Amino acid sequence: MATNVRTRDGGPATSRSASRRSHGEGLFRFLATGAGVVLLAIMAAIAVFLIGEAIPALRANQANFFTELTWDPNGQQVFGIAALAFGTVLSSALALVIATPIAVGVALFISHYAPRKLAAPLGYLIDLLAAVPSVVYGLWGLAFLVPLIRTPSQWLNEHLGWFPLFAGEGAIGGKTMVAGSIVLAIMILPIIAAISREVFLQAPKMNEEAALALGATRWEMIRMAVLPFGRPGVISAAMLGLGRAMGETIAVALIFPATFDITFEILTPHANSIAANIANGFGEATQIGRGALIASGLVLFVITLLVNMGARLIINRRKEYARAGA
């Protein structure tokens, strides 16, 4: 039978500890709620600022902002987001397709294949790659990657030109969509690899040992016990990398040729993005031009939010399927 221990002031110790826990939980709840409210307020303030600055330029625009390909807000006041949004989405999607399989492979190697003496230094190296400034990646891509991929681009165009991505006439190679996408892939690869590695390391050891005990090979164990557990984390990492690719500025501004057209020909010098256009045009923009650039930034803001919301829906659905299967 439990008895209450009396404290120096005569009150029971159990009631005092419960009171302290109650005060601590209330303070934590207040701080957590406040942090969430502050985050929402910051996002709302950004949206209000972008909308307020973009409205005068949108009113002065002589074309449809969502369908026009031309970008001339400083002269004829004709500008549209269609080509820029298309280039942003295409380059980021290509970068994600290139980076995600490599990043997952690197994460699996570090977490389940590499010796411990090699895994730790390799993990630190991957983390350091994420800290390299984007301008360094851009200069590397401009000076080294662009000349390097010219010959492979010509070969792809010659032998696989029937495929829309590799089609094109005239100049092949140089400052192209594929060059910028490769640089973006290298930039987001450390992010996806680092997060995926940590997720894979959290996979239940009992499930891994049970699979191995039943005679599964290491790859079969990874396929049955590690990848299903880490899939939501990999999706989150990929979406985080996609957001980084969409918002990247300096690297793509150095590589993209700043054209305003819509084409799937990634081997020809036709490429641009919203962030690169803002970086290239903000310094010389007029008042209407700055408003147009801010309006394009608002579109990028909305696209990023939609991507994150879509990723969250995918993760939640997979969790529901996992619970149903369990």
Side-chain angles (χ1 to χ4, degrees):
M1 181 176 179
T3 58
N4 288 334
V5 178
R6 308 298 294 181
T7 60
R8 182 177 300 177
D9 58 359
T14 53
S15 61
R16 293 193 61 186
S17 61
S19 177
R20 290 177 180 177
R21 286 197 301 270
S22 177
H23 288 305
E25 291 175 358
L27 178 61
F28 178 76
R29 185 182 300 108
F30 173 78
L31 293 176
T33 304
V37 171
V38 169
L39 178 61
L40 293 176
I42 292 174
M43 295 184 63
I46 293 174
V48 169
F49 167 78
L50 294 176
I51 294 173
E53 294 293 325
I55 286 177
L58 293 176
R59 288 177 175 174
N61 189 11
Q62 302 298 318
N64 190 313
F65 178 69
F66 296 104
T67 59
E68 178 64 37
L69 299 180
T70 305
W71 187 269
D72 187 18
N74 300 319
Q76 301 179 2
Q77 296 185 357
V78 175
F79 55 91
I81 199 64
L84 296 175
F86 177 83
T88 300
V89 174
L90 180 60
S91 61
S92 301
L94 289 174
L96 192 66
V97 170
I98 296 171
T100 301
I102 300 175
V104 172
V106 170
L108 287 174
F109 176 76
I110 295 175
S111 61
H112 287 82
Y113 284 96
R116 184 171 300 179
K117 293 182 179 180
L118 177 62
L122 189 58
Y124 293 143
L125 179 62
I126 296 297
D127 294 338
L128 286 175
L129 287 176
V132 176
S134 60
V135 65
V136 175
Y137 284 111
L139 292 174
W140 172 83
L142 184 63
F144 176 78
L145 182 64
V146 168
L148 180 66
I149 66 173
R150 186 180 301 273
T151 300
S153 298
Q154 294 172 351
W155 186 91
L156 288 172
N157 176 258
E158 181 180 352
H159 294 85
L160 299 175
W162 51 268
F163 190 65
L165 290 179
F166 305 139
E169 297 179 357
I172 300 297
K175 300 172 69 174
T176 60
M177 177 68 72
V178 69
S181 298
I182 292 175
V183 171
L184 288 176
I186 296 173
M187 295 181 64
I188 67 177
L189 190 149
I191 299 174
I192 302 175
I195 298 176
S196 300
R197 179 195 65 206
E198 296 302 322
V199 172
F200 293 152
L201 288 173
Q202 300 301 320
K205 298 301 180 183
M206 294 183 62
N207 294 354
E208 297 179 8
E209 294 172 357
L212 294 174
L214 292 174
T217 63
R218 181 171 295 186
W219 164 242
E220 290 173 338
M221 177 271 293
I222 290 174
R223 184 168 56 86
M224 293 185 297
V226 178
L227 291 180
F229 174 84
R231 189 175 291 114
V234 173
I235 295 175
S236 299
M239 292 302 103
L240 183 62
L242 180 61
R244 168 73 189 277
M246 285 185 172
E248 180 51 44
T249 305
I250 299 300
V252 293
L254 291 172
I255 297 176
F256 283 168
T259 59
F260 298 92
D261 48 14
I262 295 178
T263 177
F264 286 97
E265 299 173 358
I266 63 175
L267 302 180
T268 58
H270 299 280
N272 209 345
S273 71
I274 295 176
N277 186 60
I278 293 175
N280 290 329
F282 200 86
E284 300 177 356
T286 62
Q287 183 175 1
I288 297 298
R290 286 193 295 270
L293 293 173
I294 292 175
S296 66
L298 176 62
V299 173
L300 180 61
F301 182 75
V302 173
I303 292 175
T304 305
L305 286 180
L306 293 177
V307 168
N308 291 333
M309 291 171 60
R312 180 56 55 186
L313 290 175
I314 294 173
I315 293 173
N316 290 337
R317 286 186 178 182
R318 289 193 175 276
K319 287 182 178 179
E320 293 176 359
Y321 293 153
R323 293 192 191 100

